[in-house]
């Protein structure tokens, strides 16, 4: 494995040795230069290609980026310890060459390994992480016996050195099991430094039921312990699962005394982390495997969640202890969809957002495949001459563009639209969404944040005047629903009824940037479900009323300045029953230009006239769709299924005839 290794090994033993600007040298220099050259050329190529080729046009063929395998980890881990078997030196940092292509200004990510100590635990994540982070990994030589408190000092020295070098950038610490405990200690000792913790299966309490017998067994066994453990525990390659193969390799390459030391390290590090976790102020993301059978600690995770003021827990029910080495786990994607990736002191939802890869879009598209198959969305747009076309040809390529429309039930219409915009036009829609999708108080009964991953991966942004302003300033394509929650969670018989406020502020802000305003209408929810228990019904049931009031109390109120119906933005889950699916229809009207009209639209009355024009056009689009869908021969799902069987499931199902066609 080609690596970049820090020269001074460890700040404890070599003062100032972690100062990267002076003390970093590169092994395999020719390989480094060659990789850097290749990475540079790759970025230049991507810059040229994206101007003419849409990377999302054929997501069906998208594959996950090439990653090293579990076999690579096992082979390189063994090589690591074979090469330094006689080295009793202290822990050392290294940076994998696969991580050398990170962009300028990328934050530092420090990886603290688990019980294996190789520092190779992210080997399957290196390439993706290296695009957005400067990655350093900590390696413990085979004969190292550095106590937990000194390892914490080593990491702390590196953290402080890098913080003083670049004080306005966060430092990420990714720790696994015992490494997570060491990371917690570092964060507790440095509350003045902007640290972001990513903790995979942290062990804040040792399971003595499993570890004590193992420790006693190691004490009594002879030095030939590796082969004896393999024989007794059945860790034989080809006959066990991946975690067992990993343990087999580590047991084979570690001497008995190293195994005993690692168990002692686990005990001392977990005890220290447990005593200090209540002083940790760092933003923390805990990744918890559902099948971690070696060190179960679910009760401690709950205590840790409540102890940390800025903490989110994400569960991976089908994964085991070695989370980052398993298929289907992409740490870069996890950090992105959690909105934990930032380059500065405060998360900027606009500038810190990174576009989904074609494979990430493919996975998002697959998560929506049942909805898409059931609704077979039809997208219409309007050309400059007024012609309505079944495509997005009438959508401007350059922003800023503001799409203003109606919310259907739950606002599900935005997800298929976001996919369609990327695949057909390579346009990212930045939807302004309710803050409930981004923050959750500890102990709140609001839905788990993972429920909103599909919206966050495609660029949803918490609705606020500041975010709206920044999006338009960055020439984004922004989706705004003036009806908000009241419209998305409407009552019985209120399908396609607008609940817009009286003020027209979005018109005035749009005019400051010369944004085009495109009104749109969406219909089809009435063909998908029938509401049977709405807000009014639920407020008559005591326990549901209390639940609605509790959940609403935990959320940010967006319309305190409104009166009556518009002020009522209570969060609840309407009860409905499914119907035989019809189709979704979305119609984008003709753009309304604001460029050159800033002075005119600064006047509230003039801006309100445009506001009413937008609202009227949204209503016209909905009326048009409700009328035209009656003539759609494929509105019912059965004719669509027959069409798919005849023409293939990837074909575009026809719809009603359009004017001028």
């Amino acid at each position: 494995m080609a690596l970049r290794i820090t020269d001074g090994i460890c700040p404890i033993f070599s003062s100032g040795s972690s100062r990267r600007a002076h003390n970093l040298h590169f092994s395999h220099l020719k390989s480094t230069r060659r990789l850097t050259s290749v990475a540079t050329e790759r970025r230049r190529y991507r810059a040229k290609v994206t101007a003419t080729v849409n990377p999302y046009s054929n997501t069906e063929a998208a594959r996950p980026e090439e990653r090293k395998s579990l076999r690579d980890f096992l082979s390189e881990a063994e090589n690591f310890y074979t090469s330094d078997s006689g080295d009793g030196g202290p822990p050392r940092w290294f940076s994998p060459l696969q991580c050398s292509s990170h962009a300028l200004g990328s934050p530092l990510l420090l990886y603290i390994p688990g019980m294996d100590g190789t520092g190779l635990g992210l080997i399957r994540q290196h390439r993706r992480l290296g695009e957005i982070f400067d990655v350093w990994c900590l390696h413990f030589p085979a004969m190292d016996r550095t106590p937990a408190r000194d390892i914490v000092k080593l990491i702390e020295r590196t953290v402080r050195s890098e913080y003083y070098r670049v004080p306005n950038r966060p430092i990420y610490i990714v720790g696994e099991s015992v490494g997570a405990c060491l990371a917690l200690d570092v964060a507790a000792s440095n509350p003045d430094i902007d640290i972001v913790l990513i903790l995979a299966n942290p062990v804040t309490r040792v399971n003595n039921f499993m570890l004590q017998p193992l420790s006693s067994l190691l004490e009594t066994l002879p030095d030939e312990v590796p082969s004896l453990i393999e024989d007794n525990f059945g860790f034989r390659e080809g006959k066990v699962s991946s975690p067992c193969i990993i343990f087999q390799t580590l047991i084979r390459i570690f001497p008995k005394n190293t195994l005993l030391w690692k168990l002692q390290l686990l005990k001392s590090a977990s005890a220290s982390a447990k005593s200090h976790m209540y002083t940790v102020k760092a933003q923390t993301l805990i990744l918890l495997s559902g099948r971690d059978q070696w060190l179960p600690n679910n009760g401690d995770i709950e205590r840790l969640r409540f102890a940390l003021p800025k903490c989110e827990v994400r569960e991976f029910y089908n994964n085991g202890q070695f989370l980052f080495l398993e298929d289907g786990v992409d740490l870069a994607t996890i950090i992105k969809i959690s909105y934990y990736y930032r380059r500065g002191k405060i998360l900027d939802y606009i500038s810190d957002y990174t576009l989904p890869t074609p494979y990430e879009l493919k996975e998002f598209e697959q998560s929506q495949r049942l909805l898409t198959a059931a609704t077979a969305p039809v997208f219409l747009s309007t050309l400059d001459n007024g012609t309505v076309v079944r495509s997005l040809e009438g959508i401007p390529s350059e922003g800023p563009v503001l799409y203003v429309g109606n919310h259907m039930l739950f606002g599900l219409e935005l997800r298929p639209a976001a996919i369609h915009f990327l695949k057909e036009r390579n346009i990212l829609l930045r939807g302004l969404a309710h803050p409930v999708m981004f923050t959750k108080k500890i102990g709140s009964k609001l839905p788990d944040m993972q429920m909103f991953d599909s919206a966050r991966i495609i660029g949803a942004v918490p609705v606020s005047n500041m975010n709206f302003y920044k999006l338009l300033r960055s020439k984004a394509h922004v989706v705004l629903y003036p009806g908000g929650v009241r419209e998305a969670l409407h009552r019985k018989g209120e399908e396609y009824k607008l609940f817009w406020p009286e003020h027209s502020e979005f018109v005035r802000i749009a005019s400051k940037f010369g944004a085009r305003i495109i009104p749109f209408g969406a219909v089809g929810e009435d063909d998908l479900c029938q509401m049977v228990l709405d807000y009014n019904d639920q407020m008559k049931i005591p326990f549901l009323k209390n639940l609605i009031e509790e959940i609403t109390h935990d959320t940010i109120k967006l319309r305190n300045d409104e009166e009556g119906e518009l002020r009522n933005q209570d969060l609840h889950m309407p009860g409905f029953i499914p119907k035989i699916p019809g189709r979704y229809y979305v119609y984008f009207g003709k753009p309304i230009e604001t460029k050159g009209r800033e002075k005119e639209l600064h006047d509230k009355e003039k801006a309100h006239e445009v506001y009413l024009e937008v609202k009227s056009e949204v209503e016209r689009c909905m009326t048009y769709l409700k009328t035209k869908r009656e003539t759609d021969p494929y509105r019912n799902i059965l004719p669509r299924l027959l069409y798919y069987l005849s023409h293939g499931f990837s074909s575009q199902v026809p719809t009603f005839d359009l004017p001028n066609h």
Side-chain angles (χ1 to χ4, degrees):
M1 179 180 183
L3 309 171
R4 295 178 289 163
I5 306 177
T6 55
D7 190 17
I9 306 289
C10 163
I12 297 175
F13 295 88
S14 178
S15 177
S17 60
S18 69
R19 295 175 184 266
R20 187 176 185 222
H22 301 291
N23 297 326
L24 220 63
H25 77 274
F26 300 96
S27 63
H28 305 284
L29 185 57
K30 293 182 180 179
S31 298
T32 304
R33 288 173 176 168
R34 182 169 61 251
L35 182 64
T36 303
S37 176
V38 170
T40 302
E41 290 302 316
R42 186 182 295 128
R43 286 195 291 269
R44 290 174 182 169
Y45 173 75
R46 282 200 295 256
K48 293 177 182 178
V49 170
T50 52
T52 56
V53 177
N54 181 1
Y56 304 108
S57 60
N58 186 24
T59 56
E60 292 79 7
R63 296 289 182 269
E65 295 190 15
E66 183 179 350
R67 302 169 64 183
K68 290 196 173 185
S69 66
L70 178 61
R71 186 176 297 276
D72 292 323
F73 166 78
L74 298 174
S75 173
E76 295 188 15
E78 192 160 4
N79 288 339
F80 251 46
Y81 283 118
T82 300
S83 62
D84 69 6
S85 59
D87 182 4
R92 49 178 68 107
W93 295 103
F94 69 89
S95 182
L97 279 178
Q98 292 90 344
C99 300
S100 64
S101 62
H102 62 87
L104 185 66
S106 296
L108 175 66
L109 185 149
L110 302 176
Y111 171 64
I112 316 301
M115 290 292 287
D116 66 286
T118 62
L120 296 173
L122 295 180
I123 191 171
R124 306 193 71 188
Q125 315 287 334
H126 285 164
R127 191 173 298 279
R128 289 291 315 282
L129 288 175
E131 295 176 354
I132 57 177
F133 289 106
D134 182 9
V135 181
W136 297 11
C137 303
L138 190 60
H139 168 66
F140 298 92
M143 303 306 294
D144 174 62
R145 300 294 183 267
T146 305
R149 63 180 180 276
D150 288 341
I151 297 174
V152 169
K153 290 179 182 178
L154 180 159
I155 303 168
E156 181 180 15
R157 186 82 64 90
T158 303
V159 167
R160 299 199 72 85
S161 173
E162 290 301 306
Y163 169 72
Y164 289 133
R165 191 175 68 86
V166 189
N168 296 320
R169 198 177 303 160
I171 295 177
Y172 285 72
I173 304 181
V174 177
E176 284 193 271
S177 61
V178 64
C181 298
L182 298 170
L184 280 168
D185 267 2
V186 172
S189 303
N190 297 274
D192 57 318
I193 295 179
D194 184 9
I195 294 174
V196 180
L197 296 177
I198 312 291
L199 310 179
N201 300 316
V203 188
T204 54
R205 183 176 61 179
V206 174
N207 185 351
N208 287 316
F209 179 77
M210 294 186 68
L211 293 188
Q212 189 59 45
L214 181 58
S215 180
S216 300
L217 177 64
L218 287 173
E219 291 281 3
T220 57
L221 286 175
D223 291 338
E224 292 78 15
V225 61
S227 59
L228 291 173
I229 292 181
E230 282 187 327
D231 292 336
N232 283 279
F233 284 84
F235 291 167
R236 290 297 180 187
E237 190 169 0
K239 300 171 63 176
V240 292
S241 61
S242 296
C244 290
I245 294 175
I246 294 172
F247 276 115
Q248 172 204 18
T249 302
L250 299 179
I251 287 171
R252 183 173 65 248
I253 63 179
F254 287 140
K256 168 185 169 180
N257 290 336
T258 298
L259 294 173
L260 286 169
W261 171 78
K262 287 183 177 293
L263 293 179
Q264 184 57 45
L265 176 67
L266 175 62
K267 293 178 182 179
S268 58
S270 61
S272 180
K274 184 179 180 181
S275 65
H276 293 152
M277 65 184 184
Y278 293 96
T279 63
V280 174
K281 306 300 180 185
Q283 183 184 11
T284 306
L285 179 63
I286 297 177
L287 310 179
L288 188 62
S289 296
R291 299 171 61 188
D292 183 355
Q293 300 175 353
W294 289 87
L295 299 166
N297 54 3
N298 291 345
D300 289 289
I301 291 297
E302 284 303 307
R303 281 187 284 274
L304 185 58
R305 185 206 301 257
F306 282 94
L308 304 176
K310 296 180 286 187
C311 176
E312 180 181 333
V313 177
R314 301 179 72 84
E315 298 192 37
F316 300 81
Y317 299 101
N318 297 319
N319 295 98
Q321 183 179 6
F322 298 97
L323 185 65
F324 299 136
L325 293 174
E326 299 192 20
D327 292 333
V329 177
D330 192 316
L331 182 55
T333 299
I334 293 169
I335 293 172
K336 284 167 57 177
I337 61 179
S338 304
Y339 274 132
Y340 266 65
Y341 183 72
R342 55 186 171 88
R343 300 176 182 87
K345 291 184 177 181
I346 300 174
L347 171 64
D348 189 318
Y349 286 94
I350 289 78
S351 63
D352 285 329
Y353 175 77
T354 57
L355 283 166
T357 65
Y359 184 72
E360 285 175 336
L361 181 65
K362 178 183 179 179
E363 289 191 312
F364 169 63
E365 189 175 8
Q366 289 178 341
S367 73
Q368 305 297 307
R369 63 185 181 277
L370 292 179
L371 176 65
T372 303
T375 59
V378 175
F379 296 97
L380 309 176
S381 64
T382 309
L383 303 179
D384 290 338
N385 61 7
T387 301
V388 180
V389 294
R390 189 185 176 184
S391 69
L392 299 179
E393 187 180 351
I395 300 298
S397 298
E398 299 296 327
V401 180
L402 176 61
Y403 305 86
V404 184
N406 67 297
H407 249 324
M408 292 199 294
L409 190 64
F410 302 122
L412 296 180
E413 69 284 341
L414 180 59
R415 297 182 183 187
I419 295 172
H420 201 69
F421 267 70
L422 277 171
K423 296 188 70 172
E424 183 180 330
R425 296 292 307 278
N426 194 15
I427 292 174
L428 176 71
L429 294 180
R430 303 301 304 269
L432 290 165
H434 196 283
V436 71
M437 298 173 60
F438 305 91
T439 58
K440 177 184 176 181
K441 294 180 180 178
I442 295 177
S444 171
K445 294 182 179 179
L446 286 167
D448 191 278
M449 290 294 99
Q450 288 180 251
M451 177 180 176
F452 305 113
D453 285 354
S454 58
R456 300 199 285 189
I457 192 66
I458 54 170
V461 177
V463 61
S464 72
N465 288 336
M466 180 58 70
N467 285 337
F468 184 41
Y469 185 93
K470 287 181 177 180
L471 285 168
L472 293 179
R473 185 178 61 185
S474 66
K475 299 184 178 182
H477 287 247
V478 187
V479 182
L480 174 67
Y481 294 101
V485 170
R486 180 61 182 86
E487 203 167 274
L489 303 178
H490 53 252
R491 323 299 187 228
K492 294 176 184 176
E494 293 180 348
E495 297 90 351
Y496 316 125
K497 181 179 179 180
L498 301 184
F499 292 90
W500 289 21
E502 289 299 320
H503 57 273
S504 53
E505 194 62 27
F506 74 78
V507 175
R508 301 173 69 190
I509 297 176
S511 68
K512 290 181 181 295
F513 300 96
R516 297 174 185 174
I517 301 175
I518 300 183
F520 71 91
V523 303
E525 81 165 81
D526 53 333
D527 279 346
L528 195 63
C529 61
Q530 177 69 46
M531 190 179 296
V532 295
L533 194 68
D534 66 6
Y535 173 81
N536 296 329
D537 296 326
Q538 295 184 35
M539 291 300 283
K540 297 175 184 177
I541 304 174
F543 83 92
L544 287 178
K545 178 182 178 181
N546 293 336
L547 179 61
I548 291 172
E549 291 175 348
E550 181 179 349
I551 290 176
T552 303
H553 181 266
D554 288 339
T555 62
I556 298 173
K557 287 285 189 178
L558 297 177
R559 289 188 171 171
N560 290 327
D561 57 338
E562 300 291 343
E563 299 293 337
E565 281 292 303
L566 294 178
R567 184 183 177 92
N568 186 359
Q569 299 280 315
D570 289 357
L571 296 178
H572 65 288
M573 177 60 71
F576 60 89
I577 56 176
K579 298 167 63 175
I580 297 176
R583 297 187 84 170
Y584 274 175
Y585 303 86
V586 183
Y587 173 25
F588 296 92
K590 190 174 181 179
I592 298 173
E593 296 287 350
T594 67
K595 190 173 183 179
R597 303 175 63 186
E598 181 177 354
K599 290 184 178 179
E600 174 192 353
L601 297 180
H602 183 71
D603 180 79
K604 287 188 177 181
E605 292 186 4
K606 293 292 184 181
H608 194 66
E609 290 177 6
V610 174
Y611 177 82
L612 294 178
E613 180 185 354
V614 173
K615 185 177 181 181
S616 176
E617 181 66 7
V618 171
E619 291 173 329
R620 186 194 69 81
C621 290
M622 288 190 292
T623 301
Y624 175 88
L625 292 174
K626 285 189 287 185
T627 301
K628 294 294 291 183
R629 69 177 175 171
E630 298 295 333
T631 65
D632 185 356
Y634 298 97
R635 179 180 175 186
N636 189 280
I637 194 171
L638 294 179
R640 294 203 303 273
L641 287 175
L642 292 175
Y643 188 91
Y644 281 135
L645 290 173
S646 301
H647 298 81
F649 284 93
S650 61
S651 58
Q652 187 181 63
V653 181
T655 186
F656 49 76
D657 292 333
L658 297 174
N660 305 320
H661 280 249

